[in-house]
Amino acid sequence: MRKCSLSTLDTLFQTLSEHATLYLPVDGEKGAEYKKWEQGVAMSNALNTVRSAKDFFFPQTENMMEFKTEGKQIEVIDTRSEHEDFILFGVRACDVKSFDILDRVFLSEPYDSFYANRREHGVIVSLACTRPSETCFCGTFGIDATAPEGDVTCWKTETDLYFQANTEKGKSLLASIEGVTEKADDKEVKKQQEQTKEILNKLPLADLKADNFGSGKTSEYFDDPKWAELSQSCLGCGTCTFVCPTCQCYDIKDFNTGNGVIRFRCWDSCMYSDFTKMAHGNSRLSQLERFRQRFMHKLVYYPTNNDGLFSCVGCGRCLSKCPISMNIVKVMKALGGNEDE
């Protein structure tokens, strides 16, 4: 384990940026967001960013290929390029866990070369939480906010920043900053972890359990009459899917530039009325069906197909951003029989 003084953060960031492009959470008008570090940019103290770190590996919109036509001849142009090496600094435990969920989707055969390229070139530096919010419930899914995963794990105390390498990428990164860090023990880190766990245990959702959900529960919940009431107020706006770090649905479209065609993909939402729309029509005609799809996927379908791993990391973004305050926690309590918790 190594550490550096908070007073030398700019020197640390300068050193990191000399090895790869550095991105870190920065305060903005609407909250914290990831931005490229340069002199004068200060790291945010916010609990989490408004949008998740997913954007760096699965961006909201990206070009896939181009087509040029001349008469009856069609030229297919591969627009892929090798991605820059980059460091994503200050990722919270919930968002780091989301990469495991996304990896199982995009790195399974046939793997997604766009996503894989970014994962290969990215180094994840996580940051342990010290001030969890009332909307946090990562512990429900077995995530430890005081010991996030990642290539390097960081802990921020009142005076210092501590580092621990977890992967070969992480070891290489720590080796590059040996000149601006020093060896340290984990005494202060353990002290901070204990203090944060005390806070986590007092949060409103500390006792929320996912035990009633998971693999093989489709028949138990699919026809539950509570879906009708739960979905009644849903606007179908898709806000929950766009702030979610684990949602991975996308659409592929063609855009005529007047001088050819650009094929691109963009995020889509299972909450939209045209989601899964095909020539014959839509397979989910009602908002109830679309609402059910989203939460069944998070709590039942995904764990059924992925060794019990839930497709939710308890980041709380959907709790704070839903305009009608309908979220996965309310669904879990209603269907799982814990409405009084």
Side-chain angles (χ1 to χ4, degrees):
M1 182 171 286
R2 302 188 69 82
K3 73 173 184 178
C4 74
S5 170
L6 295 183
S7 63
T8 63
L9 277 186
D10 279 347
T11 303
L12 170 71
F13 293 152
Q14 176 65 50
T15 304
L16 288 172
S17 67
E18 291 171 358
H19 292 83
T21 304
L22 174 64
Y23 297 93
L24 67 162
V26 177
D27 289 327
E29 292 183 3
K30 298 181 179 179
E33 57 185 338
Y34 286 102
K35 286 189 175 182
K36 180 180 177 180
W37 181 85
E38 54 187 24
Q39 286 293 341
V41 171
M43 185 170 68
S44 171
N45 288 317
L47 170 68
N48 220 334
T49 49
V50 175
R51 287 174 52 141
S52 77
K54 174 180 73 174
D55 295 33
F56 284 88
F57 304 100
F58 176 42
Q60 186 170 346
T61 303
E62 65 181 326
N63 292 342
M64 304 187 76
M65 63 182 72
E66 294 182 13
F67 302 94
K68 297 289 185 182
T69 59
E70 187 174 338
K72 294 184 179 180
Q73 299 297 315
I74 299 177
E75 179 186 4
V76 181
I77 303 171
D78 187 348
T79 59
R80 288 174 295 183
S81 60
E82 198 69 15
H83 201 276
E84 64 175 359
D85 290 332
F86 67 98
I87 301 166
L88 198 52
F89 195 97
V91 185
R92 300 297 186 179
C94 50
D95 280 3
V96 177
K97 188 62 178 178
S98 74
F99 302 144
D100 185 12
I101 296 165
L102 296 173
D103 284 353
R104 292 173 184 242
V105 175
F106 292 111
L107 298 184
S108 297
E109 291 295 337
Y111 80 98
D112 187 304
S113 59
F114 295 88
Y115 179 88
N117 186 263
R118 292 184 174 92
R119 285 292 274 144
E120 180 182 350
H121 286 275
V123 179
I124 307 300
V125 180
S126 63
L127 181 62
C129 292
T130 55
R131 298 180 294 107
S133 167
E134 291 185 352
T135 57
C136 295
F137 58 105
C138 63
T140 299
F141 303 104
I143 299 169
D144 187 353
T146 71
E149 300 173 0
D151 297 304
V152 175
T153 301
C154 287
W155 292 267
K156 186 180 178 183
T157 66
E158 292 184 2
T159 58
D160 299 293
L161 192 64
Y162 290 79
F163 306 85
Q164 176 179 285
N166 304 316
T167 66
E168 289 304 316
K169 278 186 180 180
K171 292 177 182 178
S172 177
L173 186 70
L174 286 197
S176 72
I177 58 172
E178 282 190 355
V180 293
T181 60
E182 60 183 81
K183 287 185 177 180
D185 58 36
D186 61 359
K187 181 179 178 181
E188 290 300 316
V189 168
K190 288 184 175 180
K191 180 180 177 181
Q192 184 201 75
Q193 287 178 310
E194 292 174 1
Q195 293 172 343
T196 303
K197 286 179 179 178
E198 289 180 4
I199 298 173
L200 288 166
N201 291 333
K202 295 177 182 178
L203 294 180
L205 302 177
D207 295 325
L208 181 68
K209 305 296 182 186
D211 299 348
N212 291 329
F213 302 93
S215 179
K217 298 282 187 174
T218 300
S219 59
E220 182 176 343
Y221 290 116
F222 192 84
D223 293 319
D224 195 306
K226 293 189 181 73
W227 288 117
E229 181 180 352
L230 289 167
S231 64
Q232 190 172 20
S233 59
C234 179
L235 303 175
C237 66
T239 297
C240 53
T241 58
F242 275 64
V243 298
C244 178
T246 68
C247 280
Q248 66 269 168
C249 292
Y250 62 87
D251 196 2
I252 295 178
K253 299 182 179 182
D254 289 345
F255 175 72
N256 190 339
T257 66
N259 188 36
V261 173
I262 295 176
R263 177 162 294 173
F264 67 97
R265 69 173 171 189
C266 54
W267 292 353
D268 204 351
S269 172
C270 57
M271 306 296 270
Y272 293 163
S273 59
D274 61 352
F275 185 76
T276 69
K277 189 175 183 179
M278 296 174 280
H280 80 285
N282 198 319
S283 57
R284 301 189 189 100
L285 297 175
S286 68
Q287 191 60 36
L288 184 155
E289 292 171 296
R290 296 189 286 271
F291 183 92
R292 178 179 60 194
Q293 165 63 26
R294 170 171 169 75
F295 296 107
M296 285 289 283
H297 182 265
K298 298 289 185 189
L299 300 170
V300 179
Y301 302 155
Y302 192 92
T304 297
N305 296 315
N306 291 276
D307 306 314
L309 179 67
F310 288 97
S311 184
C312 176
V313 293
C315 69
R317 287 184 176 91
C318 62
L319 275 70
S320 61
K321 296 301 179 182
C322 178
I324 51 91
S325 299
M326 176 50 67
N327 51 66
I328 194 169
V329 170
K330 289 186 177 180
V331 170
M332 291 174 70
K333 288 184 175 182
L335 269 65
N338 300 312
E339 292 183 273
D340 296 329
E341 289 185 3

